[in-house]
Amino acid sequence: MSDTFGPDAIVVGAGLAGLVATYELVEAGRSVLVVEQENRNNLGGQAFWSLGGLFLVDSPEQRRVGIKDSKELALQDWLGSANFDDTDNDHWPRQWARAYVEFAATEKRDYLRRLGLKWMPFVGWAERGDGTASGHGNSVPRFHLTWGTGPEVVRVFAEPVLEAEKRGQVQFAFRHQVDELVVEGGSVVGVRGTVLAASAEARGVKSSRESAGEFDLHAGAVAVTSGGIGHNHDLIRKIWPTERLGPAPKYMITGVPAHVDGRMLGISEGAGAHLVNRDRLWAYTEGIHNWDSIWPDHGIRILPGPTSMWLDATGKRLPAPNFPGFDSLGTLKSILATGHDYSWFVLTQSVIEKEFALSGSEQNPDITGKDLKFLLRSRLAKGAPGPVEKFKEHGVDFVVSDNVADLVAGMNELGRDGAAVDPVALERMLVARDREIDNTFSKDLQLMAVNNARRSLTDKLIRVAKPHKFLDPDQGPLIAVRLNILTRKSLGGLETNLDAQVMRDDGSVFDGLYAAGEVAGFGGGGVHGYNALEGSFLGGCIFSGRTAGRAIARDLS
């Protein structure tokens, strides 16, 4: 970083939202200093590790496979999921929600395609909902998987920003940890903090917090884009909404690197920013320990199809509609109500081959590498995709057996807090389920959901296994997977108006301060409300980062 560089704006955080804001400022001819506590290897932040799913509405990809979507249906789904309160804390989130759905149904696809982003031809159906038309969930598939996954989403914004760095329009201050927002005359005019000791750690690996000096940097505006709280388990437990979701899990694994610590939330609030909806968060219920960890307590989420039987820690089937892929937070509440913080999938080899995907760019090398031949070999060959088979072979959460008794014995060895599964009860449950397979219809709600899913072309071809009997040896072996609570996203954050300007407690604009991405609840301080539709997190970073960059460029005029 040059001592003589005088930026128009400072962006705190080099994740996706920060890159998008910087890109927009560069496009407007502004100079930008990006301050980031990690090293250059971590450019793009958490987005790099993502699967790259994007929420689009009424897209050509949807129409090609016969999906009828509309802005009105998407807004119905969004508001039904968000369940916003009639309070001031949801004033701006509600407006951001309407603006984001409008963006997803109009400009978003063309905006990203102009930058070079492309999608897989099939559209995924995430968060299928709580079983009601007006409640939580996506009525139709909207999960557009980026060809190149998260790294490609990062690339299309990082490349023009790095070109601007070569021109001297952008500078990066890596290993600079912000400790304070500089406020003068009621306006934010800069940041102060600690220069951290140099680090050569690979992307995602935990780095040192050893001090190597201090810094004091000033600009006409500051945008906070520092991400969420997903690796700060103490803070997660402190804000955990016990009344709404049940007791905080005793044991959690972590879906984000160690630097996702939430520091800037408290720092911004201490400077006078209004922090809202802090008890709204997003944790997954299908977490498994990464057998090849990158960061501490590294967890991976299974992206399941709807067929696996979902049991609580004691072997009881979770109540409908807590089926795989339907209602993340609803299922989380049901699991925690049992007094345990884990659950089980029971399935067959046929199910794992067709229905198991793993979230994360590194778990999908064929799509991440944009290698079509590798994709066809890995996805169409017999057996599960390579990364899934490696987890089945090496993962501590997997039990594989040819019979129920041995399967349950393995499950009970992995049980926690005294929970145990009864092999007789589980076999009785599987026999009853299998009797329902003899017809194409059923009274079992999960099998009804499976049959409904297979009416979607994407699900039938590549996502949902053909209905079969779990106790049929030709479909085996039987597999049980211990599912842990996996931390991931913050749904609340710094309150912002529709120009991404941070608000004060009294409802006034905090002059000079902007926020985007997860630190702003992906916009407004909680654009998702109490629940989320998936494929909307990266898009929230893009939309809010774009808004912040354009607003700063305008306001500096």
Side-chain angles (χ1 to χ4, degrees), residues 251-322:
Y251 185 87
M252 296 185 286
I253 56 178
T254 312
V256 294
H259 64 258
V260 184
D261 55 17
R263 292 183 73 255
M264 286 305 301
L265 287 168
I267 290 168
S268 301
E269 186 178 30
H274 192 209
L275 181 58
V276 296
N277 305 319
R278 70 183 77 203
D279 66 338
R280 299 181 190 177
L281 48 79
W282 189 259
Y284 288 114
T285 52
E286 312 99 327
I288 52 177
H289 295 81
N290 191 348
W291 65 274
D292 189 18
S293 295
I294 297 170
W295 53 79
D297 305 314
H298 189 170
I300 297 293
R301 185 203 175 194
I302 295 171
L303 299 170
T307 302
S308 296
M309 183 175 284
W310 206 336
L311 313 177
D312 69 20
T314 67
K316 296 183 177 64
R317 197 171 180 186
L318 294 183
N322 295 315

Side-chain angles (χ1 to χ4, degrees), residues 186-449:
S187 299
V188 175
V189 297
V191 294
R192 293 192 185 102
T194 305
V195 179
L196 301 176
S199 167
E201 300 288 358
R203 180 187 290 274
V205 175
K206 186 177 182 180
S207 63
S208 165
R209 289 296 177 263
E210 179 186 353
S211 174
E214 298 177 345
F215 66 87
D216 190 338
L217 303 167
H218 292 250
V222 173
V224 177
T225 63
S226 54
I229 67 172
H231 206 106
N232 191 335
H233 288 197
D234 290 340
L235 182 54
I236 290 171
R237 290 191 173 96
K238 181 179 178 180
I239 67 170
W240 187 271
T242 302
E243 292 186 4
R244 191 169 73 250
L245 293 180
K250 296 178 183 177
Y251 185 87
M252 296 185 286
I253 56 178
T254 312
V256 294
H259 64 258
V260 184
D261 55 17
R263 292 183 73 255
M264 286 305 301
L265 287 168
I267 290 168
S268 301
E269 186 178 30
H274 192 209
L275 181 58
V276 296
N277 305 319
R278 70 183 77 203
D279 66 338
R280 299 181 190 177
L281 48 79
W282 189 259
Y284 288 114
T285 52
E286 312 99 327
I288 52 177
H289 295 81
N290 191 348
W291 65 274
D292 189 18
S293 295
I294 297 170
W295 53 79
D297 305 314
H298 189 170
I300 297 293
R301 185 203 175 194
I302 295 171
L303 299 170
T307 302
S308 296
M309 183 175 284
W310 206 336
L311 313 177
D312 69 20
T314 67
K316 296 183 177 64
R317 197 171 180 186
L318 294 183
N322 295 315
F323 309 136
F326 274 67
D327 183 353
S328 291
L329 294 189
T331 306
L332 176 63
K333 181 178 180 179
S334 183
I335 291 169
L336 294 176
T338 68
H340 299 280
D341 54 16
Y342 70 98
S343 59
W344 293 99
F345 276 168
V346 172
L347 58 146
T348 65
Q349 180 66 25
S350 295
V351 173
I352 202 172
E353 290 180 4
K354 188 120 183 209
E355 296 198 5
F356 267 36
L358 299 173
S359 182
S361 54
E362 81 283 12
Q363 300 299 331
N364 296 272
D366 48 357
I367 303 173
T368 300
K370 297 188 286 187
D371 189 331
L372 183 58
K373 290 183 179 179
F374 183 21
L375 172 70
L376 293 175
R377 286 199 310 270
S378 62
R379 306 286 167 158
L380 298 181
K382 183 173 177 56
V388 174
E389 280 292 342
K390 286 182 178 179
F391 267 86
K392 194 181 85 172
E393 180 181 354
H394 302 294
V396 297
D397 298 297
F398 285 73
V399 182
V400 182
S401 177
D402 289 324
N403 63 80
V404 175
D406 289 343
L407 186 79
V408 171
M411 293 168 71
N412 288 338
E413 286 183 9
L414 295 180
R416 294 197 293 261
D417 297 327
V421 177
D422 180 351
V424 175
L426 177 56
E427 183 151 21
R428 187 184 305 123
M429 197 183 308
L430 291 172
V431 168
R433 176 208 175 275
D434 284 359
R435 288 189 182 120
E436 296 286 310
I437 298 295
D438 289 331
N439 295 288
T440 57
F441 49 87
S442 172
K443 73 173 183 179
D444 185 289
L445 289 174
Q446 183 172 9
L447 292 176
M448 291 166 65

